[in-house]
Amino acid sequence: PVSHIADRRILLKKMADLNVNSAPEYKKYQTYALNVDPEQDDKATEIKLCNFSRPHMRAFHCSWWSFFIAFFIWFAITPLLSEIKITLGLNKQQLWTSSITGVAGTIFMRFLLGPQCDKYGARVLFTVVLCVASIPTALTGLIESSAGLAILRLFIGIAGGSFVMCQYWSSRMFTKEVVGTANALVGGWGNLGGGVTQLVMGSLLFPLFKTGMSAEMAWRTVSIVPAIVAFTTGITVYFISDDSPKGNYSDLKKHGNMPEVSAAASFRSGAMNFNTWILFIQYACCFGVELTMNNAAALYFREEFNQSTESAAAIASIFGWMNLFARGLGGYASDKFNERMGMRGRLLIHTVCLAAEGALVLVFANTPNLAGSIVVLVFFSIFVQAAEGSTYGIVPYVNPPCTGSIAGIVGAGGNSGAVGFGLAFRQLARYKDAFIVMGCVILASAGLSAFIFIKGHASLLCGSDDPNIIGKGALSVPEPDAEEEEA
């Protein structure tokens, strides 16, 4: 009976493949504003930042903007924590518990959303996540206890799962030659929301609201603004963009040009690849660090250097502002080193970024004055973002048909790292000790690059690229029930 079921699954898969291959090709757009590669599913071979045409650049801009707004609402509450602490009478441990739950919930969401991207595409999922996460954001003013704060931030953390769609969407639209730069730009500009929210919420909207009401009433009402923006963005993106160069997944399936994809099979294939988990750890040591700094920076500068809420928020925002160029720089460097050295070049620049990041964390921990800390913070942030960009210059190559699942797993690594580092900040008495732990872990993670071996590509220390492999695209549509066929 078991063999009969397996034979039936294989037969159904072959019939589905036959239907896809025999169906006339469907294209929503017959011409494109960008140069494309027909061998890579009409993906764009170039990036024109000032172009907003469909499908490629419209998806590019919708991707980073949606993630920017998601990041904004995810951390909109952090510059207000010092005020919430006073109102609710919270201690340091209770604040950090809320920060940990805010990133912990996103771990599950990233695991969940990765395979769903392979099945439904990024556009629909962006709409769902932004609209759902805007609801708890609007309810921020109702919290009355540390438990309520932790639960609220857990549900707001749903927004953090949108990173998976952000990276998947750009991988779906751009060829392997420029995918590192594309992924880094959309990810970096989206992460910029973490810096902008510090400035807008803590140094602009909060003082503005406070002019007409008490400080307590100001923090209780100000989060309604980003909630409305997030909900509106989610609805808008659904109607003005496309899932892929050739159209939306629902239309491609309707015309027989795309098979139904098994999200479970996609996830299994991605999770069974050893390289996925190395990148999971390394992303924990760059994006996890960024999330931790988003939670810690304003509190650190207020408590260690006696800054006001508004001043501490403005200084903390510097870390996020580096996303304007630093993550893109990491992806661009990854693409350029790939041109010269193949995958070994991508791994090399990735390792250098992680090592420099770890060293600068240790320097930051031992900088005793405000001016010096700000200077080190700038360079520390640059290498954090660059390491994130170089990570996702590698991700689309690990197992191309399962890129959505792998992007989700690796992205969850960032949140896992934030939980781990958050626990260090929560439990250790001094910020300096927590930063030293963080720096040492990052330096250790840099050495893991030597153990990344991607089929058909050179590793950091040995091997060579197979020209028959590297000529293929960085992302293709997953085959349905591939795991069952092998059985």
Side-chain angles (χ1 to χ4, degrees), residues 284-313:
C285 292
C286 49
F287 189 62
V289 170
E290 179 176 0
L291 294 181
T292 303
M293 290 301 293
N294 285 338
N295 283 318
L299 292 171
Y300 174 75
F301 284 105
R302 174 159 183 168
E303 296 177 14
E304 293 293 315
F305 299 105
N306 298 315
Q307 300 296 299
S308 66
T309 297
E310 292 83 356
S311 177

Side-chain angles (χ1 to χ4, degrees), residues 104-117:
T106 309
I107 297 174
F108 170 75
M109 289 303 299
R110 292 190 174 190
F111 277 119
L112 175 67
L113 290 170
Q116 302 308 315
C117 280

Side-chain angles (χ1 to χ4, degrees), residues 107-122 125 161 164-165 168 249 253 258 260-271 401-410 412 478:
I107 297 174
F108 170 75
M109 289 303 299
R110 292 190 174 190
F111 277 119
L112 175 67
L113 290 170
Q116 302 308 315
C117 280
D118 289 325
K119 187 175 182 67
Y120 299 108
L125 297 177
V164 180
M165 291 86 83
Y168 180 88
Y249 280 11
K253 292 173 183 178
M258 179 179 176
E260 285 293 339
V261 175
S262 168
S266 172
F267 181 81
R268 282 197 300 271
S269 296
C402 305
T403 295
S405 296
I406 294 170
I409 294 171
V410 174

Side-chain angles (χ1 to χ4, degrees), residues 74 94-107 146-158 295 415 418-419:
W74 190 11
Q94 289 171 322
L95 284 182
W96 273 101
T97 296
S98 77
S99 295
I100 290 168
T101 59
V103 295
T106 309
I107 297 174
S146 61
L149 177 62
I151 293 171
L152 178 88
R153 297 194 69 184
L154 176 68
F155 284 100
I156 293 176
I158 291 171
N295 283 318
N415 294 83
V419 170

Side-chain angles (χ1 to χ4, degrees), residues 74-342:
W74 190 11
F75 289 100
I77 199 172
T78 55
L80 309 175
L81 287 177
S82 58
E83 299 294 334
I84 295 173
K85 178 181 179 182
I86 295 171
T87 301
L88 302 183
L90 306 179
N91 58 36
K92 175 186 174 183
Q93 284 70 31
Q94 289 171 322
L95 284 182
W96 273 101
T97 296
S98 77
S99 295
I100 290 168
T101 59
V103 295
T106 309
I107 297 174
F108 170 75
M109 289 303 299
R110 292 190 174 190
F111 277 119
L112 175 67
L113 290 170
Q116 302 308 315
C117 280
D118 289 325
K119 187 175 182 67
Y120 299 108
R123 178 182 58 96
V124 175
L125 297 177
F126 253 134
T127 297
V128 172
V129 168
L130 285 173
C131 291
V132 171
S134 68
I135 298 172
T137 302
L139 299 177
T140 297
L142 300 181
I143 57 175
E144 295 291 347
S145 65
S146 61
L149 177 62
I151 293 171
L152 178 88
R153 297 194 69 184
L154 176 68
F155 284 100
I156 293 176
I158 291 171
S162 61
F163 171 76
V164 180
M165 291 86 83
C166 172
Q167 296 296 280
Y168 180 88
W169 211 353
S170 57
S171 295
R172 195 73 184 88
M173 290 290 179
F174 296 92
T175 63
K176 68 182 183 63
E177 290 81 8
V178 297
V179 70
T181 304
N183 279 352
L185 285 173
V186 295
W189 292 356
N191 283 358
L192 185 62
V196 174
T197 196
Q198 298 278 355
L199 195 61
V200 172
M201 295 296 291
S203 301
L204 180 62
L205 288 179
F206 175 67
L208 182 63
F209 273 55
K210 199 166 61 170
T211 57
M213 58 187 74
S214 66
E216 178 181 350
M217 185 58 65
W219 73 253
R220 287 187 181 278
T221 55
V222 71
S223 291
I224 294 175
V225 176
I228 293 173
V229 174
F231 191 90
T232 304
T233 297
I235 298 298
T236 303
V237 164
Y238 179 84
F239 290 104
I240 68 170
S241 57
D242 307 283
D243 294 332
S244 71
K246 294 182 179 179
N248 293 327
Y249 280 11
S250 57
D251 293 329
L252 292 172
K253 292 173 183 178
K254 186 189 306 181
H255 288 82
N257 292 148
M258 179 179 176
E260 285 293 339
V261 175
S262 168
S266 172
F267 181 81
R268 282 197 300 271
S269 296
M272 293 298 290
N273 194 306
F274 184 69
N275 299 308
T276 301
W277 297 103
I278 294 180
L279 292 170
F280 175 97
I281 295 171
Q282 292 183 322
Y283 202 60
C285 292
C286 49
F287 189 62
V289 170
E290 179 176 0
L291 294 181
T292 303
M293 290 301 293
N294 285 338
N295 283 318
L299 292 171
Y300 174 75
F301 284 105
R302 174 159 183 168
E303 296 177 14
E304 293 293 315
F305 299 105
N306 298 315
Q307 300 296 299
S308 66
T309 297
E310 292 83 356
S311 177
I315 296 170
S317 72
I318 295 172
F319 193 93
W321 278 104
M322 295 302 104
N323 274 299
L324 190 61
F325 70 92
R327 184 162 182 154
L329 184 63
Y332 179 77
S334 181
D335 284 343
K336 289 302 177 184
F337 273 72
N338 179 61
E339 288 179 7
R340 296 183 179 182
M341 303 172 62

Side-chain angles (χ1 to χ4, degrees), residues 363-449:
V363 174
F364 182 77
N366 290 281
T367 304
N369 58 77
L370 178 61
S373 293
I374 293 174
V375 172
V376 176
L377 180 73
V378 169
F379 290 98
F380 162 31
S381 178
I382 288 173
F383 280 102
V384 170
Q385 331 298 353
E388 294 167 7
S390 63
T391 301
Y392 275 84
I394 299 169
V395 164
Y397 291 84
V398 174
N399 187 352
C402 305
T403 295
S405 296
I406 294 170
I409 294 171
V410 174
N415 294 83
S416 301
V419 170
F421 293 134
L423 287 171
F425 278 88
R426 182 183 186 277
Q427 298 302 123
L428 297 176
R430 299 188 306 166
Y431 279 106
K432 179 178 179 179
D433 296 334
F435 279 121
I436 289 174
V437 170
M438 178 187 286
C440 292
V441 172
I442 296 168
L443 287 172
S445 75
L448 294 178
S449 295

